[in-house]
Each structure stands twice: as structure tokens, then as C-alpha cells.
Amino acid sequence: TQLLEQSPQFLSIQEGENLTVYCNSSSVFSSLQWYRQEPGEGPVLLVTVVTGGEVKKLKRLTFQFGDARKDSSLHITAAQPGDTGLYLCAGALGNQFYFGTGTSLTVIP
Amino acid sequence: NAGVTQTPKFQVLKTGQSMTLQCAQDMNHEYMSWYRQDPGMGLRLIHYSVGAGITDQGEVPNGYNVSRSTTEDFPLRLLSAAPSQTSVYFCASSRGLNTEAFFGQGTRLTVV
């Protein structure tokens, strides 16, 4: 069992649809980050959320940090083919930086 | 601006062979780490370092060794490769734990 569980594991949607990806843990994090990874590349940071209840928007992407700082969500509005990729949440606990299990998103034109 | 450089990009090993995966960063970051990525499991932390001369184990350290003699370099050693170590390996660096992590392009390792 991994510290950060993401759901769903796979998501295939049509262009223009909305979607939400969840990142859950039983541990409290001081901050959570979301990364996107494309095939053959390393993950790239999208956003960092720090305060419980915080909401951050990045164009069509909305990130929320749970009030108890144990969970986070990523909502994409009107998905586009360019959003296709692996989405990973990540957080620090002690001196270690943990990644979630990942959500593989495919947006079909 | 090189960022994080990993070599090699691909490697095939026979069971029992040893090898070193190289990682170098030019951003003067204190925190460096090694992850392995397997299908359905995201990235799992192997070893990490909070500064030169300091290393510690992550979630899945067995079968791997690391050292950090300089701020720039953080090599990962496989002493006796096993098929279970077939994976994609990523090195990352950051200023600190809660700051942006920068990743190398990965090493795809196959152990036969």
C-alpha cells in the first residue's frame, strides 16, 4: 500500500469533457504538489498547494487541497488532447518525498 | 542550462552484473533523490540525500547503494542486478523538500 493513492488509475475521455482526479492519504502533509509526465520524460511540476482548503487555478486546471491536508484533487475543464499524460500528486513527510500511484489521462480528439 | 543529467538512457544487464547510474545537477540543489517507476505504482523513492555526505534510505532501498561526495553528483549503484530491478529510474533534485523537484530524463533498465 502506497502512502498516496490516486483515482482513477486510467481515464479516457472525449475532447471537451470535464474530469476530476483524486489524491488521498491517511497522513497529513505540509504541502502537496501535482506533476504531469509525458512518455519518455521526467515529471514536470504543475502546482504546489500549501494551506488546507486552498484552491489554485492554472488556466483550465483547478487544484484543491483538503481542509485536513490529507487529500487533494485536480479538476480539468474542457479537456484537450494536449492534456494527455500521467498526472502525479506528491508530498513531503519527514525527510522523504512521496509520489502517488498516478492517473493516466487520454483525451481523444 | 543542463538541469539534471542522467546517464545512460537505456541499459540491459544480465542477472548478477553490477552497474552505476549517473546523476548530475548544476542548480546547486541540496536535496537529491532516486526513484523507480513501475506501471501502476507511480514513483517510489529508493534513496535520497539532503546534502553532500548525507544519504538515507527511501521506500525501496534493497539492492541499491548511493553516495553523495559532492553537491552536484548522486550516483546509484546496483551491486548484483536482479530481474525485479527492471524498471525506469529517475533522478531528481530540489532546493528543499517542499520546493519544485527537477527530474532527469530517466534510465530504462532491463535485467535479463
Side-chain angles (χ1 to χ4, degrees):
Chain A
T1 304
Q2 292 192 234
L3 199 61
L4 288 163
E5 295 284 343
Q6 287 183 236
S7 60
Q9 186 176 355
F10 298 98
L11 194 52
S12 181
I13 61 171
Q14 294 290 132
E15 181 177 0
E17 291 183 349
N18 301 333
L19 66 114
T20 302
V21 176
Y22 299 93
C23 172
N24 294 296
S25 177
S26 57
S27 298
V28 177
F29 291 89
S30 57
S31 67
L32 270 182
Q33 298 178 343
W34 283 91
Y35 288 78
R36 189 172 87 185
Q37 184 181 20
E38 303 200 10
E41 303 289 331
V44 175
L45 181 69
L46 294 172
V47 78
T48 301
V49 285
V50 178
T51 307
E54 181 178 4
V55 177
K56 275 194 175 177
K57 291 193 174 184
L58 191 67
K59 296 184 182 177
R60 295 175 295 99
L61 279 61
T62 302
F63 304 86
Q64 185 161 7
F65 200 11
D67 290 342
R69 291 185 287 128
K70 293 182 178 182
D71 54 84
S72 182
S73 63
L74 157 60
H75 183 79
I76 301 179
T77 303
Q80 298 178 0
D83 296 327
T84 293
L86 180 67
Y87 290 82
L88 295 153
C89 63
L93 205 59
N95 269 343
Q96 301 194 20
F97 197 65
Y98 295 92
F99 276 81
T101 48
T103 295
S104 180
L105 171 65
T106 303
V107 181
I108 303 164
Chain B
N1 189 7
V4 179
T5 303
Q6 268 184 254
T7 56
K9 198 166 175 63
F10 300 95
Q11 183 71 50
V12 179
L13 287 179
K14 293 184 179 178
T15 297
Q17 285 186 318
S18 63
M19 80 159 295
T20 299
L21 279 61
Q22 301 292 343
C23 176
Q25 53 94 6
D26 61 1
M27 297 172 281
N28 202 33
H29 286 167
E30 290 296 326
Y31 192 90
M32 294 187 74
S33 50
W34 276 100
Y35 294 88
R36 60 177 290 172
Q37 186 170 33
D38 301 294
M41 303 193 76
L43 281 82
R44 290 183 293 167
L45 182 64
I46 304 171
H47 285 285
Y48 65 98
S49 169
V50 298
I54 307 168
T55 63
D56 208 343
Q57 298 180 351
E59 300 171 86
V60 288
N62 292 339
Y64 309 95
N65 279 353
V66 292
S67 60
R68 183 97 179 268
S69 56
T70 66
T71 299
E72 293 78 20
D73 299 300
F74 191 44
L76 177 72
R77 296 182 189 84
L78 283 72
L79 300 178
S80 179
S84 61
Q85 293 178 305
T86 293
S87 187
V88 181
Y89 291 84
F90 285 98
C91 176
S93 77
S94 62
R95 281 189 293 110
L97 268 179
N98 290 310
T99 60
E100 179 177 4
F102 294 85
F103 285 82
Q105 288 208 305
T107 297
R108 184 173 293 276
L109 175 68
T110 302
V111 182
V112 297

